[in-house]
Amino acid sequence: MAKRSPSQDLFDRASAADRQQAQELAFRVRESERRALPYFSGGIFILLCLAALCAPLLAVHSPEQFFLTKANMPPCAEFFLGTDPLGRDLYSLLFYALRTSLAVGLISFTVSVLLALTIGVISALSPDLIDRALQRLLELLQSIPQILLFMLLCAIIPSHSILTLGLIIGSCSFFALARLLRSEVKTLLSADFVLAARGLGSSAARIALTHLLPQVLPGLSFALTSTLSSAIAAEAVLSFLGLGLSPEILSLGGLLTISERAFLMHSWWCVLIPGLVLTALLGSVTALGSYFSRRSVRPCSYL
């Protein structure tokens, strides 16, 4: 058996120490990720989604039922969260309003993401002339205040249903996300795996769907989730301004439209409770997006 030199023994000890240090670091990273799980925000978001889905089961009274002799009644045993100035049960209204706001948010989120993916990827894979033209168009649209675009499209489309309002908000909210996607895809075009796919004869569509999007989307998780929260907030703002859904369609923004009348009648619960539900919904979505954003950026390798 050959005799080992002192330098070889020192190298083995150093390698073992490095491996142990790497394992300890990986364990600490996994523990920190486990502790950072947004249990509270995730639980709130799941509860709100379940409440919206089970609105007919959870509501005590029909949202179309008016108790005119009990208008502006504070929270009591009969009406858990009180009644609004029209005599409707606020507890029952919240479930249906939450369902509408989530539906509008999801529709606009889907439209915005699809438009951003299509235009962003096309711009990144197109020649310079088309790329520059699309970027200048996005910059021009992004320079216009979003509320003005909302008002313009709402004036052009007089009938506002859940679908049409979702389409309006989604078509006005994808500009920044499309530019961000284009820059991320443009950065990856010079990567080795993309060059190898091109050398093997893969089409641009196959490269975009198979190689580019799986690499880009995890890093944009916060931008994607913030698009959902922005869409829900935009619906509330438009309904509050009277530009959103029709009055007979309940939403969280629609419930807040009676805030002025409620303050005059000292009905604080008509403003505070829908505002708290809207704040909890937006805060939980933002917290989940922040967690997924941190999750997509790993501080070290687990190899």
Side-chain angles (χ1 to χ4, degrees):
M1 183 177 179
K3 185 177 181 182
R4 295 176 60 86
S5 63
S7 59
Q8 290 176 334
D9 294 337
L10 182 61
F11 177 78
D12 291 341
R13 287 196 299 270
S15 299
D18 291 339
R19 287 195 298 270
Q20 183 178 2
Q21 185 178 4
Q23 292 175 356
E24 292 178 354
L25 179 60
F27 176 76
R28 287 197 298 268
V29 169
R30 287 193 293 268
E31 284 295 312
S32 63
E33 289 180 351
R34 184 183 61 81
R35 296 193 199 97
L37 284 173
Y39 294 109
F40 183 71
S41 301
I44 290 178
F45 182 72
I46 292 174
L47 285 177
L48 291 176
C49 292
L50 290 177
L53 291 174
C54 302
L57 300 177
L58 298 175
V60 178
H61 302 284
S62 172
E64 300 176 356
Q65 189 174 3
F66 296 86
F67 300 90
L68 299 179
T69 59
K70 299 179 180 179
N72 292 313
M73 181 176 289
C76 58
E78 184 179 1
F79 303 103
F80 301 141
L81 300 179
T83 59
D84 65 354
L86 299 177
R88 297 176 298 181
D89 180 23
L90 187 59
Y91 173 79
S92 302
L93 294 180
L94 278 176
F95 298 112
Y96 291 95
L98 183 61
R99 171 189 285 186
T100 302
S101 296
L102 281 173
V104 173
L106 290 175
I107 292 173
S108 57
F109 167 78
T110 304
V111 172
S112 179
V113 171
L114 289 178
L115 289 175
L117 286 174
T118 304
I119 296 179
V121 174
I122 289 176
S123 178
L125 298 178
S126 298
D128 290 340
L129 182 61
I130 300 177
D131 183 21
R132 291 176 183 176
L134 288 175
Q135 291 307 303
R136 299 297 83 77
L137 177 61
L138 290 176
E139 289 175 1
L140 177 62
L141 293 174
Q142 195 175 359
S143 65
I144 303 175
Q146 201 174 55
I147 188 66
L148 294 181
L149 293 176
F150 289 151
M151 294 174 65
L152 176 63
L153 291 180
C154 288
I156 295 175
I157 305 175
S159 178
H160 298 160
S161 62
I162 295 177
L163 179 59
T164 56
L165 186 61
L167 293 175
I168 289 173
I169 296 175
S171 59
C172 297
S173 307
F174 72 95
F175 312 131
L177 184 59
R179 296 185 64 192
L180 186 60
L181 276 166
R182 178 257 178 193
S183 61
E184 292 289 334
V185 172
K186 204 77 171 177
T187 304
L188 290 174
L189 287 179
S190 58
D192 293 338
F193 61 91
V194 176
L195 297 177
R198 282 181 173 177
L200 293 174
S202 298
S203 62
R206 181 178 177 82
I207 292 175
L209 296 175
T210 308
H211 301 289
L212 295 178
L213 291 183
Q215 297 291 328
V216 169
L217 291 180
L220 299 178
S221 54
F222 181 76
L224 293 174
T225 52
S226 64
T227 302
L228 175 60
S229 60
S230 299
I232 296 173
E235 181 277 325
V237 172
L238 290 176
S239 297
F240 181 78
L241 296 176
L243 300 173
L245 298 169
S246 302
E248 63 271 10
I249 302 177
L250 294 172
S251 67
L252 293 177
L255 293 180
L256 293 174
T257 57
I258 62 174
S259 59
E260 183 178 355
R261 190 187 311 173
F263 278 127
L264 291 176
M265 298 180 178
H266 303 287
S267 303
W268 53 267
W269 54 90
C270 295
V271 180
L272 179 62
I273 296 175
L276 288 177
V277 173
L278 180 60
T279 303
L281 179 60
L282 297 178
S284 61
V285 173
T286 304
L288 290 174
S290 178
Y291 167 74
F292 288 124
S293 177
R294 294 194 306 268
R295 180 78 175 177
S296 62
V297 181
R298 297 190 181 275
C300 66
S301 174
Y302 293 157
L303 296 178

